[in-house]
Structure formats: C-alpha cells, structure tokens
Amino acid sequence: MAQRQSKDQRSYRTSVVIVGTGFSGLGMAIKLKQAGIEDFIVLEKAADLGGTWRDNTYPGCACDVPSLMYSFSFEQNPNWSRMFARQGEISDYLQHCADKYRVRDHIHYGVEFTGAEYDEATQTWRVSTADGTEYVGKALVSGVGALHIPSYPELPGVQDFEGEVFHSAEWNHDFDLAGKRVAVIGTGASAIQFVPQIAKKVAKLHLFQRTPPWIQPKPDRPVPEALQRLFRRVPLVQRAARAALYWTLEARYFAVFNKHLGKLSEHLSKRYIRKAVKDPEVRAAVTPDYSMGCKRILLSSDYYPALNRSNVDLVTSGVAEVRKNSVVTGDGQEHPVDAIIYGTGFHVTDAFDHLTIVGRDGRKLQDAWRNGMEAYLGVAVSGFPNLFFLLGPNTGLGHNSVVFMIESQLNYVLSALRGICRGKVAQLDVRQSVQDDFNSEIQSELGDAVWSAGGCRSWYLDENGVNRTIWPGFTWKYWLRTRKLDPADFEITAARGR
Ligand code: NAP
C-alpha cells in the first residue's frame, strides 16, 4: 500500500498515481489489482467516483453506444435494462466494478490534480494537487479524459442576466423548470437528449442552433427480462451477442466514412427528417449542409418530435446579446427567458492547458504540444517518461465504443507498469522518431477524411484544423497495435542492479 510520509508533510509515496475514476482510471486500477499490484493511488477531484457518468446528470442523459459494448469485456453486465443504458445505470455499473475489484481503498477523494513534474534524478513523478498534498510515484497514469471541462460560450451581456444559468454537465436540479421560459444554447449530443425531456415541462423553449447535427433514430428499447436471465445463466450467449454487436458497429465505419455509403446514410437521415419534422421551415433548418460523420452522428427518436411542440421555437439567427431577462438574436428579436442552459460541449483539444506537466529537462507538455497534442498510440509522449495517457490524442471514436479503446490501452500500459512496479524498469520514454512516424501515419490517413474534408467545424479539430481526437480506422487495428508493447519503441532504463 502507498506510504504517507508524514501527516504534516501531506505527501504520499507510491508506485503508480492514477488520475480520475471514470472508465479509464477505474479500469487502470482494476487491471493493476488483477496483476497483483497493490501499490497505487487513484486521485479523484470529486466526492464520488464515476467521471463523466457521475457529472452528467441532465434529464435524459444516456449512452448513445449500445450497453452491451459500453462495459469492460472482463465485467460484462447481464442486467442492463435497456439497449442504450441511462446515466444512472452506467454510474451504478462503475460503482459495482469498484466494489467487485476492491479498488475503493485506493481512491483519494476531493483531491484535484493540478500538475506533475518529472524528477530525473529519482526517476519519479511529483504530482501536485489543489490542496497542496503531494504524491510521488514511479509512474503517472492520466485517466482524465477530454470531455470534462465545460465550455461556456462568450455571450455579450450574459453577466447582467438575472435568471438562472447552468451547463448541461453541471445541471442545477434545484431549479424547477416547470412553467419557465428557457433558452438552450447548442444542439449537440447532450442537448438533443435533454431538450425532449425539458420541453414537456417548460412554458417556452427557445432552442439556439448554430449547426444542425446529423441524427439517426435511436433503436432503444428495454432488454426483455428473459434475455437478461439468459445472459445471467449462460454468459457465453452474452459474449456472442457482444461480439456480433462489435462487428456491426465496426461495419458502421464503412457505412459512414465511405463516401458512397455515407451518401446513402445521409439520404436515410433526410428521409427521417421529412417524416419526423412537421414544419417545412424547421425541416430545412435542421437539415445539415455538410457530410455525415464530419461531426459526431447523433441518435435520437424523440428530438425531432420535440421540435414539433408548440412551445418549442428553433432559433437559427444566432445570439447577439444577453440582457437582464432576455436573449437577443442577430435579427434584433428579443426572446424573454428565465433561464439559459448551455449544451455547448467541452474543452477538448485544449483539455490539458490548465495543467502544468513538466517532463525531462524541464520541458512542459504545453510546449511539446505547441503545434497540437500528439502521443504515440495516444498513450505516450516523448520526453515524458513513465507518463501514460488513457483516451489520449487521436484515440476517440465516431463509430464504436471508446471503452474498447480504453481497454486496449489498459493492457498496453499495464505491460509497462508491470516492469516499473516490479523494480525491473526505472524509466520508459517513447522514442521521438517512433512518435513522429506514428503521427505522420495517422495524420496522412486523417488528412482527407470526412472529419476534415466534410465541410464542418467540430471539436475533433484543433485551432489549426488538425484532427487531434479521432482514431482514423477500425478499432481492431488499434487493438492489434496495442496488444503488445514493443520495447524497441522506447528508450528503456533498467532499474539499478538489473
Ligand atoms: P457538443 O457535441 O460539442 O455540442 C455543442 C453544441 O453547442 C453544438 O451544437 C455547438 O454548435 C454548440 N455551441 C458551442 N459553442 C457555441 C456558441 N458559442 N454559440 C452557439 N452554439 C454553440 O457538446 P455535447 O452535446 O455536450 O457533447 C459533447 C460530447 O460528449 C459528444 O460529442 C459525445 O462525445 C459526448 N457525449 C456522449 C454521449 C453518449 O451518449 N455517449 C452523450 C452526450 C455527450 P456547433 O456545432 O456549431 O459548434
């Protein structure tokens, strides 16, 4: 177990410091436990575990990846009640994992990671936290993900607004929306889930759309009790169903990212719009003018019907100004509102900017990433030994479950941590040439892909228009590449005496 140096020093020493308790951080902790490694600490800024599935509690919050695939392969859940699990059930699943694999005792709650500095003399990371407690570890694993820092739009005059303002990821459940006039800014993955829910309650909903998303119907329904029973009794059946689903989702890659099949998908979505949206003006406004897949494709069967409600007003003229009790659009129209809800997403390509991470020779991560964030396999950055990112650059997905990517990374990182924790390896630093070759390869694949060439602007791209978030291919290819850590990719320093 980790050692506290002294009560006053507020300093802990351990082999591995993990940051975050979402699928990534929790998964890493479980993998270490399974490998018989007990000397690690998990830092969690909140009072409970669960990451994004703890934070996002907005009405209607649910996964848009089928539940069967949205779980660890080693801990499949036969009890999912729906094809697409809702937030509470996923959060419960993570709690269950923490209990079953006994990782709770390793978690330090209320500890906010602020940065880390590599000490080359001792080959350790000195991890700093908001309350001043220091953690010293031989290795550092970031499980912070990219979708956790809410992005607030800069709306002129919003500081003078007298009503309620909150972000979808920080939902104010104490504010009763019943009978209120509400402005929702944004029509992304989160908004299309909560809009149908709140539309039923509010007096008036002004929905401010900047760019319409491509939406397909969500084939969600309850999982019959008999099927859940079968999964419980014969786990092999669930494994087979999951495998079939995995390959179906992989096939989505063709359907969306192949130009011809993409056109067919667009045609089907447009047909869905014609069927689901009654008003021709609204229909035109929600029809995207860019290629499907350029932004995340969304699934919903209740979003378009919500736009048909008489109390919902789709506004496309853009927010010009916020006044004390209203939002004014570019065309000068004033929309009186009691609350503004931001469904404006997260800081993604700049998610690490607020952290001070200093590697070898005093080099800052921000400097290493000055021209855009990149890592080898999304996991390791040259000059930052023994630091591993989970769901790091270019490992996000548009067509399958990120939990699959996380698990591939967990196995890869574990093979590095084994050597470090067992005292064989002191330092592992990915070779710059290996990292460069890898990134040239993926950027050349991404170059003319739909995310860059599809005619839209999305959070997949950084400020220079380079895709720093998406894995450009099938997930099984990523799995193949991360199945075994090749020591030749790293400069490895053996531990003394080895
Ligand atoms: P998002 O997809 O980034 O959507 C943000 C929305 O806000 C977009 O419609 C965007 O318009 C709009 N917006 C941003 N800044 C604006 C501004 N200044 N003025 C007006 N509109 C503005 O964010 P999100 O809906 O929170 O979802 C983020 C990600 O979280 C998703 O893509 C997904 O990966 C994840 N998520 C997943 C699930 C799931 O089921 N697995 C559910 C929810 C969220 P533009 O399109 O014009 O930029």
Side-chain angles (χ1 to χ4, degrees), residues 53 58 61-65 70 147 151 153-155 167-168 185-191 193 208-211 218 295-296 298 343-346 457 459-460:
W53 294 105
Y58 58 77
C61 182
C63 194
D64 58 11
V65 173
Y70 208 78
L147 297 169
S151 171
E154 285 171 20
L155 305 180
H167 189 279
S168 60
I185 317 283
T187 53
S190 303
Q193 293 186 337
F208 291 86
Q209 171 191 279
R210 192 164 67 179
T211 317
K218 189 174 190 178
K295 285 172 183 282
R296 188 179 175 89
L298 309 183
T344 43
F346 301 88
R457 174 90 213 172
W459 56 261
Y460 293 151

Side-chain angles (χ1 to χ4, degrees), residues 239 252 341 359 444 462:
R239 290 193 177 276
R252 269 182 92 199
I341 305 176
S444 78
D462 68 11

Side-chain angles (χ1 to χ4, degrees), residues 427-441:
Q427 189 172 276
L428 256 124
D429 192 3
V430 69
R431 294 179 194 281
Q432 187 69 54
S433 57
V434 170
Q435 184 182 318
D436 291 346
D437 289 350
F438 170 78
N439 280 283
S440 306
E441 178 196 332

